[in-house]
Amino acid sequence: MLPSPSGDKAFRIVPRQERGALVLALTGDLDIDNIGVLGTALENAAQDGQAPVVVELSAVSFADSTTVNMLLHGQSLLGPRMRLATPSPFMARLIGVLGLDSALPVFDTVAEAIDPPPPT
């Protein structure tokens, strides 16, 4: 578990391996004070092979523009390996308002993010 560098935030990243993919489960509020931890995790994932990297967003209660920039940076590092999954209601609104789903694949479940269904 990777805690927030600023102890006053409830932000955490819990990494796990699932069916050959790296899943980064984010929890809490993401902002300029703690987003560097996510950046480090994405940079490390970019160096660690070719497996999918799924950023699980179900427990994210707040995110600011630095979070959006970091997710886009992750996309530039990982390309199609990076996928977003299970966005919380807050993140679903943010993704929709900003049109972030046009730049990053967003899936309803982690399982779909690991093994996307074939296009119809």
Side-chain angles (χ1 to χ4, degrees):
M1 183 177 337
L2 305 173
S4 167
S6 60
D8 60 342
K9 298 290 180 184
F11 174 65
R12 291 184 316 196
I13 299 176
V14 179
R16 69 179 188 270
Q17 292 292 322
E18 188 171 322
R19 296 182 12 238
L22 172 62
V23 178
L24 300 173
L26 309 186
T27 302
D29 294 354
L30 286 81
D31 59 28
I32 195 166
D33 292 331
N34 57 28
I35 199 65
V37 177
L38 177 58
T40 300
L42 293 172
E43 289 170 7
N44 290 341
Q47 297 173 4
D48 284 346
Q50 299 303 313
V53 177
V54 178
V55 180
E56 183 179 355
L57 302 168
S58 62
V60 173
S61 50
F62 174 81
D64 65 7
S65 62
T66 59
T67 304
V68 173
N69 288 334
M70 189 58 69
L71 292 173
L72 292 171
H73 177 66
Q75 174 70 15
S76 70
L77 291 171
L78 294 158
R81 293 174 49 208
M82 182 166 162
R83 297 128 191 213
L84 305 180
T86 62
S88 66
F90 178 87
M91 286 304 296
R93 260 190 322 278
L94 183 66
I95 290 166
V97 166
L98 296 177
L100 194 56
D101 52 347
S102 67
L104 291 164
V106 180
F107 297 90
D108 291 334
T109 68
V110 170
E112 287 178 354
I114 293 170
D115 294 314
T120 54

